[in-house]
């Protein structure tokens, strides 16, 4: 499996969609925290989801998830996925995105690149182990994140 990505700009500047669930019941959210690498001899992707997010339930309840990347002109749609909850609106049928199966999970036709991941590991971020200034900046008024690491089992390129 060959894969080249500028992780820093893909996650931080272009954003991505994290999707968990199956074709009958799934949810997506915009993410800008994540990375790729190698762990336990496997290609992996890492992402972080606040425990208060609707997608968190789907991450916990499913063994697979996808991380998908989109062209720059889709940033407005990704903004909706990052600011609205699937508890409140039907984001999964949002205009401009077409859901499709991706392995044991879901991605969207419009994605330039999708990483299909099998969940290997989950851990709560322990605020006691995070510098105080970071806790103040990111966790003083919102729930902490859980870290998820998934083995990249398939790469789908448009």
């Amino acid at each position: 499996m060959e894969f080249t990505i500028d992780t820093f700009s893909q996650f931080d500047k272009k954003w991505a969609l994290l999707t968990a669930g199956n074709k009958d019941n799934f949810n997506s959210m915009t993410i800008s925290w994540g990375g790729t690498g190698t762990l336990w001899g496997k290609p992996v992707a890492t992402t972080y989801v606040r425990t208060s997010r609707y997608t968190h339930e789907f991450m916990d309840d499913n063994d697979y998830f996808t991380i998908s990347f989109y062209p720059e002109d889709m940033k407005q749609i990704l903004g909706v996925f990052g600011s609205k909850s699937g508890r409140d609106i039907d984001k999964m049928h949002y205009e401009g995105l077409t859901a499709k199966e991706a392995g044991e999970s879901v991605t969207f036709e419009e994605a330039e690149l999708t990483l299909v991941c099998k969940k290997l590991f989950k851990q709560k971020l322990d605020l006691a182990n995070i510098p105080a200034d970071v806790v103040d900046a990111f966790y003083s008024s919102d729930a902490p994140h859980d870290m998820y690491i998934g083995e990249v089992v398939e790469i789908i390129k448009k």
Side-chain angles (χ1 to χ4, degrees):
M1 186 172 1
E2 191 168 318
F3 176 60
T4 303
I5 187 174
D6 176 0
T7 298
F8 298 115
S9 67
Q10 284 290 332
F11 281 95
D12 189 43
K13 304 293 185 232
K14 289 185 76 175
W15 304 342
L17 283 182
L18 171 67
T19 304
N22 59 51
K23 65 180 175 116
D24 298 320
N25 188 29
F26 64 95
N27 197 68
S28 300
M29 64 179 271
T30 303
I31 59 171
S32 63
W33 291 8
T36 56
T38 304
L39 180 66
W40 303 317
K42 300 173 185 278
V44 297
T46 303
T47 191
Y48 305 85
V49 182
R50 286 189 193 273
T51 57
S52 59
R53 300 296 186 245
Y54 187 44
T55 304
H56 188 273
E57 297 171 27
F58 288 83
M59 290 293 287
D60 281 352
D61 292 343
N62 291 276
D63 291 331
Y64 289 84
F65 62 91
T66 63
I67 298 174
S68 51
F69 300 94
Y70 296 82
E72 194 69 31
D73 64 353
M74 301 220 36
K75 203 160 186 177
Q76 183 176 357
I77 292 172
L78 296 183
V80 170
F81 274 64
S83 62
K84 305 289 183 192
S85 173
R87 290 183 184 113
D88 303 325
I89 67 167
D90 184 6
K91 293 190 300 185
M92 302 317 98
H93 296 97
Y94 194 79
E95 185 176 331
L97 288 175
T98 310
K100 71 174 190 174
E101 286 184 278
E104 300 289 321
S105 191
V106 177
T107 189
F108 296 92
E109 291 282 347
E110 296 76 13
E112 293 179 320
L113 174 73
T114 298
L115 305 178
V116 180
C117 302
K118 182 177 184 194
K119 189 169 49 177
L120 293 175
F121 180 80
K122 172 195 170 184
Q123 182 170 344
K124 294 188 178 304
L125 295 186
D126 183 350
L127 299 184
N129 293 327
I130 300 173
D133 62 320
V134 175
V135 172
D136 290 345
F138 293 96
Y139 300 107
S140 62
S141 63
D142 208 343
H145 287 85
D146 282 348
M147 175 180 63
Y148 294 89
I149 300 174
E151 177 184 3
V152 178
V153 295
E154 183 180 0
I155 298 171
I156 303 169
K157 295 180 184 177
K158 192 168 193 177

